Amino acid sequence: MSRSTELPLTNRISDGRVRSLLRNHGMRVTRLRCDMVKWLQVVQSPVSIKTIHFEVGGDFSNIYRNLKRFQRAGLVRSELHLNHSDLFSWA
């Protein structure tokens, strides 16, 4: 799942749970969305879109659009960092 490190087995979220979560919020299930949800749920602090892109992979613009979708659904929150970039964390 992650380019730099794999998540410990105890922190992994089941694929079925992730698919249900996405469907319950009216979203199609895609590999990128599933990977983003799994990764964001275990990250301990807010992260930049660049970090998410590096860790999860995928197209940068798709990651951005999915983060905004997640935010509208109440799944993630964003905060403005001092350098005027958004940091995202699981809600």
Side-chain angles (χ1 to χ4, degrees):
M1 175 171 47
S2 170
R3 287 185 182 181
S4 64
T5 57
E6 284 291 321
L7 297 173
L9 287 174
T10 56
N11 289 339
R12 292 188 183 175
I13 294 90
S14 75
D15 289 339
R17 185 170 167 226
V18 171
R19 286 191 298 270
S20 293
L21 178 73
L22 291 171
R23 286 185 185 125
N24 289 342
H25 284 88
M27 293 181 225
R28 282 187 321 118
V29 175
T30 67
R31 173 71 185 231
L32 179 60
R33 286 182 185 155
C34 289
D35 288 348
M36 288 175 67
V37 167
K38 287 178 181 182
W39 191 79
L40 285 166
Q41 284 189 339
V42 296
V43 173
Q44 299 297 313
S45 60
V47 292
S48 70
I49 190 170
K50 288 181 182 180
T51 301
I52 297 167
H53 180 255
F54 176 79
E55 293 292 332
V56 177
D59 181 68
F60 192 84
S61 60
N62 284 339
I63 291 171
Y64 178 80
R65 284 191 296 269
N66 282 317
L67 284 170
K68 291 302 180 181
R69 259 185 212 110
F70 293 168
Q71 193 175 10
R72 284 191 303 271
L75 299 174
V76 295
R77 59 181 164 260
S78 70
E79 54 188 67
L80 190 60
H81 192 261
L82 294 175
N83 67 1
H84 304 288
S85 65
D86 284 328
L87 298 179
F88 297 90
S89 59
W90 195 249

